[in-house]
Amino acid sequence: MKKGVMRPGHVQIRVLDLEEARKHYVDLLGLIEMDSDDQGRVYLKAWTEVDKYSVILKEADEPGMDFMAFKCLNEAVLDSLAEEIRALGMTVTELPAGDLKDCGRRMQFVVPTGHTFELFATKEQTGKWGINNVNPEAWPRGLKGMQATRFDHCLMYGDDLEGNLTLFRDVLGFDLSEQVIDPEGNRIALFLTASMKAHDVAFIKHPEKNKFHHASFYLDTWQDVLKAADLISMTDTSIDIGPTRHGLTHGQTIYFFDPSGNRNEVFAGGDYHYPDHETVTWKAEQLGKAIFYHDRQLNERFLTALT
Amino acid sequence: MNAQRHFQIQVTNRQQAFSVPEGELLLHAMEKACQQAIQVGCRGGGCGLCKIKVLEGAFHTKRMSKAHIKEHEAEAGFALACRVFPESDLVIESDHFNDLSTQQTA
């Protein structure tokens, strides 16, 4: 049931070298640099997004994800959802407006898998980059690299998937669009959506808490994924796997790493989800095909290389 | 013009050896030589899969994730091969990923 959570709003990613990261996310992925702050953080967006930014880069000693945020319909939703999260016995911290540049207050909490999430409802809207909102042209000139169109979702690894399912489905109003079930009937992967997209966030079972697997960006076509693969080779960027197709969500994909070892994905296509759709199930015995539909086997790195 | 210097890398636990041109990253050179003596992960100092211990030789590194190389480990010769620039021939041990015994503080 929809509870007023709209879409992924932003992700803050820790990097070892800000200049290397800036080059990667701007020149290769094609994100647009929008701002920076007195903490040295850099704010980026993909060109079709209407909000001012969706990716925040921060230099640190340890790569990984600081937090991922969802944008909600309005400020009243923030208060009601914070109340419901607290009723589960979890702590919710309200961060004041302006803590992130040009962003309203944020409700921040740590989910059962140990990852930090936040909800917000207000952020400066600068509109689609390079495109007028009246009689808009098809796309802006001057985009770089892969020309990523939007920040799409994150995948995280952690232990308590059932705890996350209760929180995201029953409290935050996400649907479980797809899942992976082991032979004993336990869920080992959750694909959750607050929209028509196949996933807005996903979790895979892993013994450690709070591990980051990837941040994903949307491209329009399979041809764009192949062009991304060419750019990865041209720039000698660290590749993980692809181009290939996922069984889960059926997206066409390629995985690679930023210069600090955080995994990125760009993908195209994939399934859609309506609230009356039954959850799609993959069985763990077919996990290879579920993750990489063509190879039908996992590379070890996909399971172990995390930040 | 001088020929580029190469350093010999011996991986004792795998009984393998390969050479690294001066100024190249250890793991990058191993992959180019089609050797599999060290696990390859993110190649960016983040995931820890390529954690090694340098037993002999000189090297310097780029910044590495503190989650995988704590200060006392760096002092003991641990490093992530994707961030290591050899400065001499090296004798190393690979397969130290998630080696909890090295993570305890001294």
Side-chain angles (χ1 to χ4, degrees):
Chain A
M1 192 185 78
K2 297 277 180 275
K3 301 279 279 285
V5 176
M6 272 197 299
R7 61 165 179 265
H10 54 249
V11 59
Q12 181 164 307
I13 297 172
R14 298 187 303 268
V15 298
L16 294 171
D17 182 312
L18 197 60
E19 283 316 304
E20 286 183 0
R22 191 197 304 250
K23 202 167 148 52
H24 174 88
Y25 286 95
V26 172
D27 293 349
L28 181 63
L29 268 151
L31 302 185
I32 296 130
E33 186 168 341
M34 297 299 290
D35 212 337
S36 59
D37 66 20
D38 53 14
Q39 292 183 45
R41 296 185 291 194
V42 173
Y43 295 72
L44 310 169
K45 76 180 283 175
W47 76 266
T48 71
E49 294 165 351
V50 296
D51 283 352
K52 183 174 172 180
Y53 56 86
S54 59
V55 173
I56 306 143
L57 301 176
K58 183 187 179 184
E59 193 164 296
D61 276 338
E62 185 182 330
M65 183 194 78
D66 277 334
F67 49 78
M68 179 187 181
F70 289 97
K71 191 176 192 189
C72 300
L73 274 175
N74 55 50
E75 294 287 331
V77 166
L78 288 192
D79 291 312
S80 66
L81 288 178
E83 198 57 36
E84 287 190 59
I85 296 165
R86 288 188 181 112
L88 280 182
M90 294 169 56
T91 302
V92 180
T93 307
E94 180 170 341
L95 299 167
D99 177 76
L100 276 176
K101 234 176 181 177
D102 301 314
C103 185
R105 68 196 175 111
R106 292 135 60 213
M107 299 294 190
Q108 197 178 70
F109 47 96
V110 177
V111 305
T113 49
H115 302 90
T116 301
F117 279 86
E118 38 183 61
L119 304 173
F120 70 98
T122 309
K123 189 186 280 178
E124 184 185 343
Q125 294 208 316
T126 54
K128 292 182 184 181
W129 184 82
I131 293 285
N132 203 306
N133 212 31
V134 178
N135 304 329
E137 301 297 350
W139 39 264
R141 292 167 192 260
L143 292 171
K144 291 183 178 177
M146 298 176 185
Q147 310 188 357
T149 67
R150 66 166 184 252
F151 163 52
D152 190 88
H153 66 269
C154 288
L155 170 61
M156 298 161 208
Y157 277 35
D159 54 354
D160 185 3
L161 292 200
E162 290 304 314
N164 275 20
L165 181 59
T166 301
L167 173 68
F168 279 86
R169 184 184 56 191
D170 302 345
V171 175
L172 299 177
F174 285 67
D175 287 330
L176 182 64
S177 56
E178 306 211 9
Q179 62 183 351
V180 180
I181 302 281
D182 75 9
E184 287 77 48
N186 304 304
R187 292 189 182 89
I188 59 168
L190 308 175
F191 286 67
L192 294 152
T193 180
S195 64
M196 265 186 73
K197 289 160 54 200
H199 50 349
D200 286 314
V201 65
F203 299 96
I204 287 184
K205 184 127 178 136
H206 180 77
E208 297 164 281
K209 281 191 186 291
N210 195 21
K211 301 305 278 186
F212 180 58
H213 191 271
H214 70 262
S216 182
F217 300 86
Y218 193 76
L219 302 179
D220 287 326
T221 68
W222 171 233
Q223 188 63 37
D224 292 328
V225 176
L226 297 181
K227 194 176 137 208
D230 293 338
L231 287 162
I232 288 167
S233 283
M234 285 179 199
T235 52
D236 206 16
T237 297
S238 177
I239 179 98
D240 185 9
I241 195 162
T244 182
R245 183 195 284 277
H246 289 303
L248 283 148
T249 76
H250 296 131
Q252 298 146 351
T253 177
I254 185 164
Y255 285 106
F256 51 104
F257 296 96
D258 80 8
S260 305
N262 296 302
R263 191 184 278 93
N264 297 153
E265 174 187 43
V266 290
F267 80 106
D271 299 329
Y272 61 84
H273 181 90
Y274 276 108
D276 65 336
H277 285 196
E278 198 179 315
T279 299
V280 171
T281 298
W282 282 84
K283 295 189 169 177
E285 303 91 297
Q286 296 259 353
L287 189 63
K289 191 174 179 180
I291 306 280
F292 300 123
Y293 188 70
H294 299 146
D295 281 357
R296 282 163 278 145
Q297 58 184 21
L298 282 173
N299 61 342
E300 172 71 11
R301 182 160 58 214
F302 192 83
L303 295 176
T304 49
L306 306 167
T307 54
Chain B
M1 214 164 77
N2 291 329
Q4 193 179 19
R5 285 175 73 194
H6 282 68
F7 301 121
Q8 292 302 309
I9 312 298
Q10 271 188 59
V11 187
T12 57
N13 58 310
R14 302 268 194 120
Q15 286 97 47
Q16 279 177 267
F18 56 91
S19 81
V20 180
E22 185 170 23
E24 264 196 39
L25 290 160
L26 178 55
L27 194 73
H28 190 241
M30 183 201 77
E31 285 197 276
K32 281 207 296 190
C34 297
Q35 295 283 314
Q36 295 179 335
I38 305 166
Q39 280 197 81
V40 179
C42 70
R43 307 179 186 87
C47 77
L49 268 181
C50 66
K51 187 169 173 179
I52 59 170
K53 184 174 189 184
V54 180
L55 306 174
E56 286 172 36
F59 64 98
H60 67 275
T61 69
K62 290 179 75 174
R63 196 175 189 181
M64 302 175 285
S65 174
K66 279 266 185 336
H68 296 289
I69 303 293
K70 311 221 182 296
E71 266 171 47
H72 71 275
E73 292 179 291
E75 285 162 19
F78 288 97
L80 301 181
C82 65
R83 309 292 271 184
V84 168
F85 292 103
E87 294 172 354
S88 73
D89 292 350
L90 298 181
V91 180
I92 68 169
E93 228 172 51
S94 63
D95 300 326
H96 280 284
F97 175 57
N98 271 357
D99 185 352
L100 295 179
S101 64
T102 69
Q103 290 260 309
Q104 285 147 16
T105 41

